[in-house]
Amino acid sequence: MLSTGTKTLINIIQHPEICFNVEECGNNALQFITRIYQGIILWQSPFLAYYGNKECDIVYHGKSFNDFYEFLDCVTEGFK
């Protein structure tokens, strides 16, 4: 009785060495992505209605981000 998004989040947490596609996850599941500290995801068109803390620890294409909004800017606008 769990949503596909919830199942995907559980899989990411339980199997951090495997890449999971989050394209079909809804905003209700995606809002928790930033709370997962280990795992690999495929998110080709990132969009997130984000209401949480801006502090993060994300590595994207070899660049580290501590500010979630800077990460989103980089993803949507590309590296400068």
Side-chain angles (χ1 to χ4, degrees), residues 13-55:
I13 293 166
Q14 293 295 317
H15 305 283
E17 73 284 359
I18 299 173
C19 183
F20 290 93
N21 188 331
V22 296
E23 288 292 312
E24 298 298 321
C25 292
N27 283 337
N28 58 336
L30 291 175
Q31 69 182 338
F32 293 100
I33 288 285
T34 59
R35 297 180 185 194
I36 298 174
Y37 294 99
Q38 292 185 5
I40 305 168
I41 64 170
L42 172 64
W43 195 2
Q44 292 182 341
S45 302
F47 173 79
L48 183 60
Y50 183 66
Y51 304 105
N53 188 333
K54 73 176 194 168
E55 294 178 13

Side-chain angles (χ1 to χ4, degrees), residues 30-80:
L30 291 175
Q31 69 182 338
F32 293 100
I33 288 285
T34 59
R35 297 180 185 194
I36 298 174
Y37 294 99
Q38 292 185 5
I40 305 168
I41 64 170
L42 172 64
W43 195 2
Q44 292 182 341
S45 302
F47 173 79
L48 183 60
Y50 183 66
Y51 304 105
N53 188 333
K54 73 176 194 168
E55 294 178 13
C56 67
D57 183 16
I58 297 173
V59 177
Y60 177 70
H61 289 283
K63 183 175 179 182
S64 295
F65 294 89
N66 295 323
D67 182 307
F68 190 73
Y69 298 110
E70 288 179 11
F71 163 70
L72 286 180
D73 286 344
C74 180
V75 171
T76 57
E77 296 175 14
F79 286 100
K80 294 181 181 180

Side-chain angles (χ1 to χ4, degrees), residues 4-18 20:
T4 303
T6 300
K7 291 175 189 175
T8 302
L9 294 177
I10 291 170
N11 277 322
I12 294 168
I13 293 166
Q14 293 295 317
H15 305 283
E17 73 284 359
I18 299 173
F20 290 93

